[in-house]
Amino acid sequence: MLRYVTTNSGKVREAREYLDAVEQLNYDYTEIQAAELGPIAVRGAREAYRHAGEPVLVDDAGLFVEGFDGFPGPYSAFVEHTLGIETVQRLVAREIDAPRRASFRCVLAYCDGDAFDASPDPVDREDRAAAAAVGADDDADDADDPLPVKLFTGSVRGRIVEPRGDGGFGYDPIFEHDGTTFAEMSAEAKNAVSHRGRAFAKFASWYQER
Ligand SMILES: O=c1[nH]c(=O)c2ncn([C@@H]3O[C@H](COP(=O)(O)OP(=O)(O)OP(=O)(O)O)[C@@H](O)[C@H]3O)c2[nH]1
């Protein structure tokens, strides 16, 4: 059984499109403060695996606004819950000239207690870069942790617009990709292009073939 460790039901709906076997584990692992998603996901996966004692998948994601140097990035959930997405959109509109570029990024971290076979390895360059960044960024207290974690990443570019649509979750109404906001797309259409969809497509093919 694979446990998808998240408190966010929007994430679970999207993950189910890729993996039927996925079972939500509503466990609020410790999210460290870090500029990148990778280290947060790795720590979370190790903690969740030790908590659950069975294979886990942790998903750390965020919205990175180019003109704000990537803010809110790893703090996206906190900013969504404190300011709200309308305030974020108004701030972006006031402070940044069009086209107000942004991207969504997602890092999936898988841990089942075992080491991973180095080959065959379908993981792409983006995933290797994320893994390298995690190694480089690890703080002293975690660098020695021997529990292996495998990373899969996805990202999608778009721009911040006035809210449109009522599907999806989080910032979806203010994130436009190719003329359509994520909240205006069906779940299938969002998954086909989204950060999470791309990361899950890579994870699912690796998981099913391993
Ligand atoms: O419009 C959105 N469409 C998406 O597809 C999406 N993916 C992430 N986000 C935002 O980024 C935070 C992740 O934060 P996050 O990875 O820490 O997760 P979370 O706190 O919601 O739940 P958990 O999985 O940690 O339990 C979320 O809360 C959202 O604000 C998204 N917004």
Side-chain angles (χ1 to χ4, degrees), residues 6-8 11 31 60-61 80 169 171-172 190 195-196:
T6 181
T7 58
N8 186 326
K11 290 183 179 181
E31 290 201 17
D60 203 55
E80 182 199 333
F169 69 94
Y171 297 88
D172 281 348
K190 179 184 169 187
H195 51 313
R196 182 162 299 99

Side-chain angles (χ1 to χ4, degrees), residues 94-114:
R94 200 177 68 197
E95 301 293 331
I96 304 173
D97 292 335
R100 306 188 174 109
R101 291 197 182 90
S103 58
F104 269 128
R105 295 184 209 157
C106 173
V107 175
L108 295 177
Y110 174 78
C111 179
D112 63 9
D114 292 330

